[in-house]
Amino acid sequence: MTAYIPEIKNPDAIYTIYIKRFNPETDAEPHWVSYKIPHVKSMTVIEALEYLQDQGIYVAFRANCREFTCGSCAMTINGKPGLACMTLLKDGMRIEPLRGYKVLRDLVVDTSFAGEKFRELELWPHLENPEARIEKVNMKVQERYKNIYSRCIECYSCLSACPQSDPESTVYPGPMWMLQIARLHEHPLDTMNRLDQADKNGVWNCAGCFECASVCPVKLSPGSLASFLRREIIKKEVGL
Amino acid sequence: MNYKEIKADVVIIGGGGAALSAAINVGKDLDTLILDKGQVGKSGCSPNAHGGLAVHYKDPNDGPEIHFEDTLLSGGFLNNQDLVRILVQNTSEIVPMLERYGALFDRDEHGNLLVRRFGGHRYARSVFCGDETGHEMMNGLRREVYRLGIRYIDEAFVTRLLHDENGEIAGVFFYYLPTGEFYVVKSKAVVLATADAAGLWPAASERQRGDGIYMALMAGAEIADIEFIQYHPTHAWWPPGVRGSVSEAFRGEGGWLLNSKGERFMKRYDPENMELATRDKVSVSIMMEIRAGRGAPHGGIFASVTHLPAKYVKKRLPVIYQKYKNFGIDITKEPIEVRPRPHYLCGGVVIDENAATKVPGLFAGGAVTAGVHGANRLGSNALTDIIVFGKIAGKNAGEFARSREYHSPNKNEIEEEIKRIKEIFDKPWGEDSISIGKVRRELIELMDRDVGVIRNETGLKDAIEKLNYIKHEIAPRVTLRDKSKTFNFEVKDILELPFRIELGIASATAALMRKESRGTHFREDYPHRDDENWLKNIVFFLKDGELKVETREVELKYKKPTDFPEYAKSRSPWH
Ligand SMILES: Cc1cc2nc3c(=O)[nH]c(=O)nc-3n(C[C@H](O)[C@H](O)[C@H](O)COP(=O)(O)OP(=O)(O)OC[C@H]3O[C@@H](n4cnc5c(N)ncnc54)[C@H](O)[C@@H]3O)c2cc1C
Ligand code: SF4
Ligand code: SF4
Ligand code: FES
C-alpha cells in the first residue's frame, strides 16, 4: 500500500504526531502513541504513516491511490474526518480511526456495511428492458453526474460526520446514501421509484446542518441531495 | 496443517475493472467468487484512471481498422495481432453496457457522446466522464456485481495458484489480511486480473506489484514483453505530498524544463521541438540530464512556468495550479520538481484469443497480460482492454468450469505455502535482521537506475548481479517485526518480495537480450529500432522447475511494418 517517495534528507522541522493505536490481540483499549516525523513542505498524513513503515513501524491503515480518488484512507484527523492522502501534516496532529465504525486495528475500521447497503437499496438501474439504451440526457443531469455523482469517492467521511446517522441507524442511512439514491433517481435508465425509496429511508431526517459538506474531501454537499430529493417528492405530490 | 477450505466454481483474483468484467460474464448458473487483496472497487488502478476509454469511432473516417493500426504502430508491432483485432472489434457495445449498469458518460446537448483524442490515436475516440472516467466505469461495473449478487472477499491476498495431480488448476491459496488465517479455495477455473508490475519501479502509488504475473509464471504459464516499462515523463516528484502527473498541458502552454543550471536542456536533445518533443524523448532527455549530474536537488528536474504571467498560468493551467496551491505551493512563483515515473508494464501473462494461459483452468485478462499493447501502450487503450478481455476471460472460465468437476488441490503445494508464511512469522528478530522497508527501497531504486528509462549493457548486467545478490544474501535476512495476525501489512510487504526480485531479474534479463530500442525500451548502446532482428517477443517460462527464456518471432498476421513505408524507413524507437 505504500508508495515510493524519495528519501527525506533535509527536513525543515521534526514534528510530533499522536496516533490512536489498537491491536485486538494485545490491547484491551485503544491508546495514544506519539511519533517523531521529519517534516518537509507539502507533506501529508499519508507520508508520515509511510515514513513510519519505512522505519519498521507498521501502523495499520488503508490506502491505495494517494490521489484522493479511491476513498480508502479516510480517518479522523484532529477531530474531523479527512483523507490521509490529502490532509497536510501539522505538528501535534492527532490521528485516529474514522468515528462511528468498529475499529479492527489501528486506523482500519469495518466498512463492510457499504456493500450490504448497496444491495439493500438496490443501487443499480432497474431497466425497462434488458437492451435499454440512453438516447439523450438532460444537460442538467449530465452536469450533476460529472460534477457530483461520479465524483463521490465513497470515503464515508460524511457518514462519520453526520449527526443524524450512524452505521446501525434505521431512521437515516446518511448523506452518502442520499447522494447515491439521487444518482439513481436521475439515471436515464432507472425505472424504480427512488423518491418513494428516499421517503422510506429517512430523507426527512436530514437536519440540514451541513456537517457533511464541511468534511467532504472532494467538496460535495451530499446533504443538499437530501434537500433535492425532498423537493422532488413535494413537486410530485403537488403534481408539478 | 491449519487452514480453512471453501469452494467456488470460478475464482476471480482482483477487484479492478478486468476482474469485475470477468465476474459479471461467468454466468449466473455458476458460483463465482471474487478475491481482492484490497477492497473491491477501491483497489487497483481502475478507479483512478482519469482520461478516457477508447471505444467510440465518432469520426466517419475512423473505425476499428484505424484503431488497430494505431495500436500496432505504438506497440512497435510486437503486439499479438489477433488480440488487438478482438480489442477493436468489441468496442461498440461497451458504453451502452456500462450505462445499463449505472454509469453515465459525457454527452453534448443532442445526446451524442463526447470524445477526447489521446497521443498516438489518429482520431478522437475516447469517451470520458469529466476527469473521473475510470471511477465512473467502476461505478457501473460494481453495481452490476452487486445486482448479480456475486460473492466477494475483500483483503484476501492470493499468494499461490494450486494445481491438481496433473498440473491443472484446482484452486488458489490466500492469506486473509483481516485475521491472518490461511484459506484454500477449491475451484474449477481461475481468472487472474491482478494488473501489471509497474510498482517494481518508483511508481507514485504501488497499485501494481506483479502478483499475478509472478504467480502465473510459477504455476506454469508463460510471461512475455516484461522489458517494456512505460514511464510518464513529467510526474510530480518533490515535494512528496503532491502527486500525479503534471500533464502535457504544462509544457503545451509554454512551461519550461530546466536543469540545475537553469538551462532549457531540451535544446541538447531536440532543439526543434524543445519541451514539446514526444513523451518518450522527453523522458530520455530528463534522465540524461539527471545522470549527467544536472538534476534538481531531490533527484528530479525543474519544471517552471514562472516566466509566464501569473494570470495566464491560472487561466490556462487551472488544475495544476490548484493542485499545487492545495499543498501550499504557488507554481507562478516557484519551479516544481518533476521526473519520469513508471506508469504501466506493457508485458505480462501470455494469453490466447480465449484469454486462456498455457495452464488448463487458468485464464487472465487486463493489465496482467501481454500482447494487446506490444512494446508501448496507447493512452486510454487500457480501459478498453480490461473490459473486453475481462469479459472474454470470465466467459471462457465459466465454460471451462461447466465442463469439469472439482479437482483436489495438491497437498504438498498447500503445505509448502503455509510453511513459507509460518516461517516468516516464526523467525525472531536477530543481529543480522533487516527490515522490509529498506530492501524494498533498495530494489526500487536499483530497477529505476539500471532497468529504467535508459538502459545499457553494463547497467543491466550490474542490475542482474545485484538482484541475485539481494535474492541470495539479503532477502533471507528480511525479518518481520510485528508478529500480530490482524491486518499485518508488514507481512504483506514481505510476501511480495519474491515477486519483486524474480520479475526484476526477468525484466533486466529481457532488456539485456534485446539489443535494440523499441517502444518504451531504450538502450543507449543500441539506440535504433532493428526490425530485421527484433520483431520478436521475449518469453519466460518454467521448465523442470527452472526459469527459461526464449525469443519468438512475432506473427505479423494482418499488418507488417512495411505496410507503413515511413514507419519502416525510420529507425526511431518511437512512433
Ligand atoms: C493514475 C492512473 C491513470 C490512468 N489513466 C488511464 C486512462 O485514462 N485510460 C486508460 O485506458 N488507462 C489508464 N490507466 C491504466 C488503467 O487504469 C489500468 O491499466 C487498468 O485499470 C488496469 O485494470 P485491471 O483491472 O487489469 O487492474 P487493476 O484495476 O489495477 O486491479 C488489479 C486488482 O488486483 C488486485 N490484486 C493484485 N494482486 C492480488 C493478489 N495477490 N490477490 C488478490 N487480489 C490482488 C488488486 O487489489 C486490484 O483490485 C491509468 C492508470 C493509472 C494508475
Ligand atoms: S446536512 Fe443532513 S446529511 Fe449532512 S450532516 Fe447534516 S444531517 Fe447529515
Ligand atoms: S459525499 Fe464526499 S464525504 Fe461523502 S462519501 Fe462521497 S466523497 Fe466522501
Ligand atoms: S489513498 Fe485513495 S483517497 Fe487517499
Side-chain angles (χ1 to χ4, degrees), chain A residues 46 62-73 83-85 153:
Chain A
I46 219 165
R62 290 192 181 111
N64 175 38
C65 69
R66 309 173 87 253
E67 272 190 75
F68 27 97
T69 42
C70 75
S72 311
C73 68
L83 297 181
C85 67
I153 57 174

Side-chain angles (χ1 to χ4, degrees), chain B residues 285-303:
Chain B
S285 310
I286 293 177
M287 293 316 286
M288 290 273 187
E289 281 302 295
I290 293 173
R291 220 175 44 176
R294 293 189 291 266
H298 303 95
I301 205 88
F302 292 116

Side-chain angles (χ1 to χ4, degrees), chain A residues 59 101 188 215 217 231 234 238:
Chain A
V59 177
Y101 304 103
V215 302
R231 280 199 307 275
I234 294 170
V238 299

Side-chain angles (χ1 to χ4, degrees), chain B residues 305-409:
Chain B
V305 283
T306 55
H307 58 286
L308 300 170
K311 237 172 128 178
Y312 173 86
V313 171
K314 284 182 212 170
K315 188 154 164 235
R316 304 302 285 263
L317 298 166
V319 179
I320 302 175
Y321 174 77
Q322 196 50 48
K323 175 148 117 183
Y324 275 86
K325 190 91 196 168
N326 290 345
F327 291 93
I329 295 157
D330 184 348
I331 61 167
T332 67
K333 299 212 170 73
E334 53 182 313
I336 52 179
E337 224 179 288
V338 300
R339 188 183 184 284
R341 275 196 151 184
H343 191 58
Y344 189 86
L345 181 73
C346 303
V349 182
V350 177
I351 53 165
D352 65 13
E353 295 97 277
N354 296 319
T357 69
K358 276 257 139 89
V359 188
L362 182 63
F363 298 79
V368 72
T369 66
V372 175
H373 309 292
N376 200 359
R377 174 174 74 80
L378 277 182
S380 94
N381 259 3
L383 295 185
T384 318
D385 173 15
I386 67 179
I387 301 274
V388 171
F389 284 96
K391 180 171 178 176
I392 295 173
K395 251 197 169 125
N396 288 302
E399 214 144 283
F400 189 87
R402 277 181 210 104
S403 72
R404 193 181 191 231
E405 297 302 311
Y406 284 105
H407 294 199
S408 289

Side-chain angles (χ1 to χ4, degrees), chain A residues 46 61-75 81-86 98 101 107 109 111 113-114 150-159 176 216-218, chain B residues 39-44 47-48 132 135 142 155 207:
Chain A
I46 219 165
F61 68 101
R62 290 192 181 111
N64 175 38
C65 69
R66 309 173 87 253
E67 272 190 75
F68 27 97
T69 42
C70 75
S72 311
C73 68
M75 44 190 77
L83 297 181
C85 67
M86 193 176 187
L98 203 57
Y101 304 103
L107 304 170
V109 298
T111 56
F113 68 93
S150 61
R151 287 190 54 235
C152 168
I153 57 174
E154 295 171 34
C155 67
Y156 320 131
S157 292
C158 58
L159 298 179
M176 182 186 111
C216 176
V218 291
Chain B
Q39 295 179 293
V40 170
K42 291 190 177 295
S43 56
N48 310 131
E132 313 291 341
H135 188 63
R142 263 171 56 227
E155 293 164 323
R207 291 166 273 229

Side-chain angles (χ1 to χ4, degrees), chain A residues 158 161-165 172 174-175 205-213 222-224 226:
Chain A
C158 58
C162 175
Q164 294 296 92
S165 78
Y172 184 51
N205 291 326
C206 161
C209 65
F210 296 107
E211 277 299 314
C212 50
S224 303

